[in-house]
Amino acid sequence: MESLPEAVLIRILASIPAVDLVLVCRLVCCQWKNLVDGAELWILKCQQEGLTRAESDAENWQNFYFLSKKRKNLIKNPCGEEDLEHWGEIENGGDGWKIEELPGDFGKEFPSEEVHKYFVTSYEWCRKAQVIDLRAEGYWEELMDTTQPKIMVRDWYAGRSDAGCLYQLCVKLLSENEDVLAEYKSETVTIPQDNDASWTEISHTFSSYGPGVRFVHFEHGGQDTLFWKGWYGVRVTNSSVTVEP
């Protein structure tokens, strides 16, 4: 192995699972450590697995590789397929939250065929929240403190065409002790009666938020503005929180 050209050794190492590269191969010798810590090996692994980015370079290709492989929606049960499972801090104003099938009365189909249900609010304020433990999801402390990858938040909301409603989104990045390190709070969106019931996406990207982020607190909710008994308030679905490479 010592006589192999470095380019050949990199190709051999690139065939090894990424976790083994970091936890095992990196400890073999100084040469292997330098290769595992370098960009060329990870650029090759990204190319082999079809992981690309718009920019011609990445600040840390190893982090880019791991973040790309781990990228997923960290919100559990985003579309109500499991009733209110995984959602906490629930405020059930009026008749409380309800899950309905798309498109619903006086509603429209969702832009994605993969979404089949939504949560709907009532005549007093309804809220629900979900707390994401970033370490439990595999985002280690050094990564969050040093690289500070972008955290993308998205949500979708809509009203019924026969009723007006309110909607609000609030997302906080929390420390180990649940101190608020960064926060995004939307304006209270007012959807008038006789609206077209179309679905609207709202999004926010956290970046350069500083060290110490360990949790993401996602909260949304709303109500109708006519105070009709039942479920005439804002509809929400397909919520997402992703850590971007």
Side-chain angles (χ1 to χ4, degrees):
M1 295 291 284
E2 293 178 358
S3 62
L4 285 176
E6 193 168 274
V8 175
L9 182 54
I10 286 174
R11 289 198 167 275
I12 293 172
L13 291 174
S15 66
I16 297 173
V19 174
D20 291 334
L21 284 174
V22 175
L23 298 181
V24 180
C25 297
R26 189 173 179 275
L27 306 180
V28 170
C29 63
C30 289
Q31 183 191 22
W32 285 31
K33 177 181 181 298
N34 291 335
L35 292 178
V36 173
D37 289 345
E40 190 173 350
L41 171 60
W42 297 100
I43 291 172
L44 180 57
K45 285 190 73 66
C46 287
Q47 292 172 344
Q48 289 175 340
E49 300 184 34
L51 305 176
T52 60
R53 60 184 297 135
E55 297 88 350
S56 60
D57 195 11
E59 184 175 341
N60 186 314
W61 280 96
Q62 184 182 131
N63 284 346
F64 173 76
Y65 176 88
F66 279 107
L67 286 170
S68 298
K69 296 290 285 186
K70 292 181 66 63
R71 189 178 185 278
K72 65 176 181 177
N73 185 4
L74 300 177
I75 291 285
K76 297 178 173 62
N77 186 27
C79 304
E81 295 291 346
E82 302 173 71
D83 198 49
L84 284 169
E85 188 73 21
H86 304 295
W87 292 96
E89 303 178 30
I90 298 172
E91 181 180 344
N92 280 311
D95 289 319
W97 287 96
K98 184 182 180 184
I99 289 87
E100 295 181 345
E101 298 274 350
L102 280 159
D105 294 339
F106 296 90
K108 283 189 176 179
E109 290 288 355
F110 192 76
S112 169
E113 294 181 356
E114 297 178 357
V115 178
H116 307 289
K117 295 183 179 182
Y118 58 84
F119 303 90
V120 58
T121 59
S122 190
Y123 59 86
E124 291 180 352
W125 204 266
C126 297
R127 301 179 192 272
K128 59 186 177 71
Q130 199 166 134
V131 178
I132 298 164
D133 183 337
L134 293 170
R135 284 176 300 190
E137 296 292 343
Y139 298 99
W140 57 99
E141 295 181 2
E142 183 182 357
L143 174 74
M144 299 308 302
D145 293 346
T146 305
T147 303
Q148 295 176 33
K150 292 179 180 179
I151 299 174
M152 173 70 79
V153 178
R154 295 184 177 90
D155 201 19
W156 288 82
Y157 63 89
R160 297 169 53 118
S161 62
D162 63 340
C165 59
L166 304 176
Y167 165 83
Q168 191 176 78
L169 170 67
C170 181
V171 185
K172 301 175 183 178
L173 304 186
L174 306 178
S175 70
E176 177 74 32
N177 299 320
E178 300 188 3
D179 298 318
V180 179
L181 302 180
E183 180 177 10
Y184 168 75
K185 189 172 185 178
S186 72
E187 297 180 357
T188 300
V189 178
T190 301
I191 301 175
Q193 191 175 9
D194 300 321
N195 66 88
D196 64 3
S198 61
W199 287 93
T200 299
E201 183 184 38
I202 185 172
S203 66
H204 178 75
T205 301
F206 291 97
S207 61
S208 302
Y209 39 76
V213 172
R214 301 292 179 263
F215 302 95
V216 179
H217 183 278
F218 179 102
E219 178 183 294
H220 62 180
Q223 67 174 89
D224 78 48
T225 53
L226 301 174
F227 304 99
W228 289 347
K229 183 173 176 57
W231 297 273
Y232 292 85
V234 73
R235 300 165 170 184
V236 294
T237 195
N238 205 37
S239 311
S240 68
V241 173
T242 56
V243 179
E244 299 292 320

